[in-house]
Amino acid sequence: MTHANSSSRPDAALAKAREQVLAASADKRLRPSIAGFFDEATNTVSYVIHDPATSKAAIIDSVLDYDAAAGRTSQGSADLMIEYVEKQGLEIEWLIETHAHADHLSAAPYIQEKLGGKLAIGREIIRVQEVFGKLFNAGTDFERDGSQFDHLFEDGETLQLGEIQMIALHVPGHTPADYAFIFGDAAFVGDTIFMPDFGTARADFPGGDARQLYRSIRRLLALPEETRLFLCHDYKAPGRDEYAWETTVGQQKRENVHVKDGTSEDEFVEMRTARDSTLAMPQLIMPSVQVNIRGGRLPEPEENGVSYIKIPVNAV
């Protein structure tokens, strides 16, 4: 594995990503095989990505099923991915989170126990842990240094998944810790942008910033137009009857209702801020963030052996 030089400018990482996409577009051996798994309960798409030549694989943004009313977890969604990996004979090397999700619990630790692989997220998770550690009064036993993960990505960092190259791009705005991961010609963009008819992610969570989100999205849209974009969510825009989660840079630049070419930064910030002010909090934000800042693990059991999810009252 190689790491980006700390003095590298952000556009150096983008230039490297552009070169990678163009090379993969010209040579299909450098393109990953991708399987998407849609969880309708949370409108989340998880992915298994692998190199066809070596069967080396990565999982992005897995989902742990959670019944909020009963306080019960289950593993049906994760088991579907595990079954696929085993049937395909894949070797999981990475379990990647694009950010600390506010709408679903991560199943990464459960999958890691079954299939192995390193659990990874962007280094800025440390900022998110600090903010939400205070909100949930997690105490001094909760480490705010990212140590719950096996690896913390830096902007511009690269790795090899078999013969497929991956580059990580820091794309904050939805949260401070959002990353996009480009495998060959395919970019997994997390919660930055949605299907063109639905628009973009919200930016009103703690540490979120609509202006920063605009700049992150424009960074992604500077990738070659043929870059395939794989989204973390879909909510079926009005008039569309089927869920969808794959698009391209070119399509987004032409059609995205929030941020297509010609949309200024100020126009976007005004729209995004006004829209965010009308949105309710995600239904699972309290359990999701509390678990996901711990790398997908429940809070430590208390004296009676039971883990508890805290709900801060009138705090947000």
Side-chain angles (χ1 to χ4, degrees):
M1 178 184 299
T2 59
H3 295 266
N5 188 308
S6 60
S7 64
S8 296
R9 298 177 301 169
D11 60 351
L14 177 61
K16 187 161 52 175
R18 287 180 55 85
E19 291 176 4
Q20 175 184 299
V21 169
L22 292 172
S25 297
D27 186 348
K28 66 180 182 180
R29 294 173 299 179
L30 303 179
R31 301 175 208 160
S33 177
I34 299 162
F37 296 79
F38 185 69
D39 177 59
E40 189 167 357
T42 62
N43 294 94
T44 302
V45 194
S46 306
Y47 297 96
V48 178
I49 306 132
H50 78 270
D51 170 27
T54 64
S55 296
K56 305 291 187 182
I59 289 176
I60 293 184
D61 290 338
S62 60
V63 173
L64 182 70
D65 303 316
Y66 181 69
D67 181 340
R72 287 191 172 275
T73 62
S74 56
Q75 296 82 26
S77 297
D79 285 338
L80 290 175
M81 301 181 78
I82 292 170
E83 180 182 9
Y84 173 83
V85 167
E86 291 177 341
K87 284 186 175 180
Q88 295 292 319
L90 305 180
E91 180 184 349
I92 297 299
E93 294 194 327
W94 293 94
L95 300 155
I96 295 173
E97 302 292 333
T98 55
H99 62 295
H101 305 275
D103 41 42
H104 71 271
L105 283 66
S106 170
Y110 172 75
I111 296 174
Q112 186 178 44
E113 182 180 330
K114 301 290 185 180
L115 299 176
K118 292 182 179 180
L119 174 56
I121 198 168
R123 177 165 296 281
E124 288 73 16
I125 186 62
I126 295 169
R127 291 180 56 191
V128 178
Q129 289 177 328
E130 184 63 32
V131 170
F132 283 97
K134 291 178 180 177
L135 176 65
F136 293 119
N137 197 29
T140 56
D141 289 341
F142 172 58
E143 299 291 343
R144 297 159 169 82
D145 58 2
S147 58
Q148 299 84 353
F149 300 84
D150 300 314
H151 184 77
L152 301 180
F153 284 111
E154 305 277 1
D155 184 54
E157 184 175 342
T158 62
L159 60 84
Q160 290 294 132
L161 189 73
E163 297 177 9
I164 306 293
Q165 181 170 279
M166 188 284 292
I167 185 166
L169 292 182
H170 186 209
V171 287
H174 173 63
T175 78
D178 282 64
Y179 267 70
F181 297 92
I182 298 124
F183 288 81
D185 68 331
F188 298 84
V189 298
D191 285 20
T192 53
I193 199 165
F194 299 143
M195 291 299 290
D197 57 0
F198 199 85
T200 57
R202 65 195 297 166
D204 60 332
F205 294 150
D209 185 291
R211 197 167 296 278
Q212 198 172 46
L213 178 62
Y214 177 88
R215 295 171 185 175
S216 291
I217 290 171
R218 297 314 304 181
R219 189 183 193 202
L220 289 172
L221 297 187
L223 292 167
E225 291 205 352
E226 60 267 37
T227 308
R228 296 182 290 161
L229 301 183
F230 291 87
L231 316 179
C232 190
H233 298 288
D234 187 55
Y235 302 97
K236 286 198 299 191
R240 175 156 55 85
D241 295 328
E242 296 183 352
Y243 291 109
W245 48 81
E246 180 180 351
T247 177
T248 65
V249 164
Q251 185 183 18
Q252 294 282 8
K253 290 169 69 175
R254 293 187 300 270
E255 302 175 15
N256 189 284
V257 295
H258 291 170
V259 74
K260 66 185 176 183
D261 281 354
T263 305
S264 73
E265 182 173 315
D266 286 342
E267 288 171 336
F268 175 81
V269 170
E270 182 179 1
M271 177 282 302
R272 189 68 266 170
T273 303
R275 183 176 173 84
D276 288 349
S277 69
T278 69
L279 300 178
M281 285 289 102
Q283 184 177 3
L284 295 182
I285 185 170
M286 293 304 175
S288 294
V289 175
Q290 212 162 150
V291 168
N292 293 337
I293 60 175
R294 292 176 165 85
R297 299 171 185 88
L298 295 173
E300 286 295 316
E302 298 190 9
E303 292 84 353
N304 61 357
V306 177
S307 293
Y308 289 86
I309 299 291
K310 291 182 178 180
I311 306 296
V313 178
N314 297 327
V316 294

